[in-house]
Amino acid sequence: MEQFLENKLYSDVEGTCSGAHGYIIAVLSILDIGSGNVMSGTGQAEFVTRYRAIVFKPFKGEVVDGIVGEVNKMGFFADVGPLNVFVSSHLIDPDMKFDPNSNPPSFASQEEVIDRDTHVRLKIVGTKVDATTI
């Protein structure tokens, strides 16, 4: 029974997102599995479980590294672990201009180019949690 509960915890929790704790990347260890309570009417059992996990909850002002996934005239999207970050063109250096004719589309200046698969360092200026996706 304990092995079943451990496997169920791993499959149900890892890779999910909660507004309170952020993205749950991996469960490291299970600290305690409480005694189960049978729920009336369904016959199912509920177990209160304490565990340790690696979580990722970005906060305003945090500096993160990401990889650019998509570029358009409004800005670009970068993947930062499980997080998808949008960088508005208003927050990109004014020397960098959007070039829709390049293949792939990019923001470019004399010295730098931001296009798909470019590694970027970003500072989080705001967050919006969509707990239905990761």
Side-chain angles (χ1 to χ4, degrees), residues 108-128:
S109 69
Q110 294 293 330
E111 299 87 26
E112 297 176 302
V113 174
I114 297 176
D115 61 4
R116 186 172 188 69
D117 296 328
T118 301
H119 291 255
V120 292
R121 182 159 288 158
L122 312 165
K123 184 175 183 180
I124 306 288
V125 296
T127 60
K128 181 175 98 174

Side-chain angles (χ1 to χ4, degrees), residues 11 30 36 50 59-61 72 82 84 91 95 109 118 120 125-126:
S11 66
I30 297 173
R50 291 183 27 212
F59 55 89
K60 189 175 179 179
N72 60 45
N84 194 314
L91 298 174
D95 292 341
S109 69
T118 301
V120 292
V125 296

